[in-house]
Every structure is written in structure tokens, then in C-alpha cells.
Amino acid sequence: MIFNTFAYYLGFLIPSAALYRIAPARLRAWVIVLFGSSFFLYFAYEMAGVRGAACLFIFVWESLTSRLYRPASRWCLLGMAQSLLLLGVFKYWNFFTGLVFLHRANPARWPGAFLPLGISFFTFEFYHYAWDRRAGKTEAGSLSEYLAFILFFPTMVAGPIKRYQDFLPKLRAHPVEANRDWERGVTRILSGLVKKFAIADLLTAWTNHLNAHDILLADRRILPLWLLAYGIKIYADFSGYSDIAIGSARLFGIRVPENFNWPYGRRNITRFWECWHISLTRWLIDYIYIPLGGSRVAPLRVYANILVVFLLSGLWHGAGLHFVAWGLWHGLLLCGHRLWRRLRGAPSPHPLAAYSSSALTFVLANAGWAFFCMDLHTAMLFFRRLLIG
Amino acid sequence: MLPTLRAFFEYLGGERDDAPLLHSARSRMLLRCAVWIAFIVLIYFFSGQSSKFIYIDF
């Protein structure tokens, strides 16, 4: 829950943002570290008990090893490996060992598996720092500054995924325009809560029907409406979440990256992904797509790179085959769009062409949510009932 | 017109600092008050049914 609890606002956000404003410059990073640690302990304990709270050690360990990172250093490679190892063990252990022992009892199963709070996001920030330090793209900063970066609690749990070189100057700058920051920040938080409560949660009454039993019994004409409801719900839910995170950061006078830019209604799937979960898309481009060769390799390799990126993106969204299928769906759509552009050239400027391609993009992106919100078997049942009857 | 309308909605949601269509400080302040009240009423009205955010350790 977190962002829709009083504890978040009264116990963490308001006191820390106020204290941050009045603290001397040398102590401001420590204010974030203190409240970020308390935030993690409180909510991680609430979600996973003592073992969840103990995961604060991950941040301590990461901050200590990060002091070894230098340009072109092997320590950075070790840092990247440990970020991936953390994510792999906590999030994918049972998934991958389950695939190894397919159709048999999994002797390597970790029965008490749990997810440390925010692991999908903070490991990406760890990885980015190690990579960019190795490439000489960012300075080291002090221990307190790096700790403030990784423990900045408004973005710790579900992003937006920050970059150290963007965050550091804002942390070092003296926060000015307190009135404007607080007015805009509070407005952003309120609008995020409205999206969550009045749109996303309201649509749950419809999206709850997306299960095998209801799909089998329902009139097939209602099925696209349920999926459309999910498309709107996930947008309202995650963009609402991002609004609260960005608004919370604004109370500190710190601007973090935007995550959404009116994705529905974009003219093609490439533009959709430039406007949906922007901080993740940029991370995937910078740390997977470009290292694989990006668009500067042979055409077939480019298609392969796109598919690899989106298969990994799907897997990152969840340890399940239906998430992999969702990633594959979007990877294929992007490859299809790229091929279409290669064959047909620039898009037609005619308004009718623009509206119809926006509508098609909307339908295809929404169809993909079936793989996101249902397991593979149920999603296939959904499409079978929708298209065949 | 569409970009202006979009910018106006972004201002209402706190995403944008400058307010398109509103030129006086008084009208901006009145609008801010109205928006805050509307948001608070909506949050109060709908807050009973809250569920987990989808993207938190999904």
C-alpha cells in the first residue's frame, strides 16, 4: 500500500521534507538517509517481517562496495553482477528452478521466498551506478550522497528509476521556491491519489472478472470491455503512483524523471513505449539495447535486439510465462512497426491515417494486457472466447 | 487548441508549473483552491475501497 497510508505522509514524507528544507547543506543527504532507512524498515517489516526489514543490509553493503567503483574498474563488473544476482535469487529462484524441474517436484524450491521491498527498482539503480562509474559517466560522490540516492524513499519502491548524475546536482543545490514546490508537489500527490482511488480502484469491479470462470460464462461482447477496463486501470494505477512519487520528491525540491506522457493515443507502438514507463524504457535502452548493438547493426540483429529487450522487460515485470508472453507480444509489435516503416517509409500526414493508427495502437497495446493480467492459459481462453466464441 | 488543453490538464494535475489560459494570479489561485477541494472530496469519497498498487513488487 505505502502511498495510500497516513503513516507515509505523517510519519515520513512531511517531517523529512520539512527537515530537509531547514537542515544545513552538509546534513541534507543524511536527512534522506535517516528517513529512507526508517521508511524501509517500517514498510519492509510490515510486508515481510524481520527478514524483510533485515534487507536494509543490502543498501549498506551496496553503498560500501560502491566506494570501490572506478572508471574501467573490475569492481564495477562485480557491482553489476551482484545487482543481477540479488534480483535473480529473490525474484526468479523458484521460477527458474521450476523450469529446470518441469513436471517434477522442485527439490531446489525456496519455500520461504519473499521479495525485498522495491528490489525490482533499486537493483536497477545499483546496476546503473556501477555501469556509469565504469564508463566514467558519473562521479563517485560521497558515501552520504550515494546512500541518499539509493535510499531516497519517494522513488525507492516503484520508481521512477533515477540516474545518479541527474540526482546529484539537485541534492547539492540549495532548495529554493519552497512555496511553489510544495503547492505543485501537493497538487501532484492529490491528483495521483484521485487516479488511484477514483479510477483504478473503481475499475477493479470490472477487472476482477478477468478469470477463467467468468470468461467462460460471460457474454463474449463484454470481454473487450473488461480488458479495456484493465488497460485504463493499470494506467491510472501506475501513473497515479508515479504522480505521488514525483510530487513527494518535489516537496524536497528534487525533480525526478517523468514516467508517463499521454501514452494512450500515440500514433504507433514505438511512440507508445517512448511515453509509457519512460524511466524503465530508457534504462532498457541504455543498459541492454545499446550494449547489444542497438540499431547500428544488421537489420536482423536489430530485430533480435528488440525481442531480447522486450523478453527481458516482460520477465522483469514478473516471474511468470505470461509476463514473458506480454514482452514477446510488444517485441513483435515493435519489430512489425519497424519493418512496416522500412517498407512504407514515413507515415501519411493525413488526419484520418493518424487517427486510425492511434486507434490501432491503442487496441494492440490493450490486447497485450491480457497476457499481463492473466496467466497464459486464461489469456488464451480469453482470446479464444473473444475471437471464436 | 489540443496542446493548450493538454497543458491545462497537466497544470491541474501538478505536472506543469505554468498555467496556460490563466493570466491573472487571482484566477490561478482560485483554480488551485477549487482543484484541491475537488481532489480531496474525490479522495474522501472513494478512499474506502483501496487496494495494493500494481507495480509494488508485482
Side-chain angles (χ1 to χ4, degrees), chain A residues 4 183-184 201 262 317, chain B residues 10-11 16 32 50-51 58:
Chain A
N4 41 3
E183 184 271 311
R184 292 284 80 196
D201 288 340
W262 304 82
H317 278 84
Chain B
E10 286 174 350
Y11 175 76
R16 182 181 277 270
R32 279 203 296 268
S50 189
S51 60
F58 45 95

Side-chain angles (χ1 to χ4, degrees), chain A residues 80 84 123-135 137-138 149 161-166 279-294 308-309 312:
Chain A
M80 289 185 255
L84 296 179
T123 46
F124 273 21
E125 294 190 346
F126 294 176
Y127 189 93
H128 132 74
Y129 179 75
W131 180 289
D132 281 11
R133 278 294 290 150
R134 184 164 189 267
K137 287 181 183 169
T138 184
F149 172 68
I161 302 164
K162 312 183 296 298
R163 303 292 173 97
Y164 191 59
Q165 51 271 53
D166 297 333
S279 65
L280 174 71
T281 308
R282 290 195 178 147
W283 193 97
L284 294 171
I285 289 172
D286 288 348
Y287 301 107
I288 302 179
Y289 184 66
I290 291 175
L292 285 173
V308 167
V309 167
L312 289 174

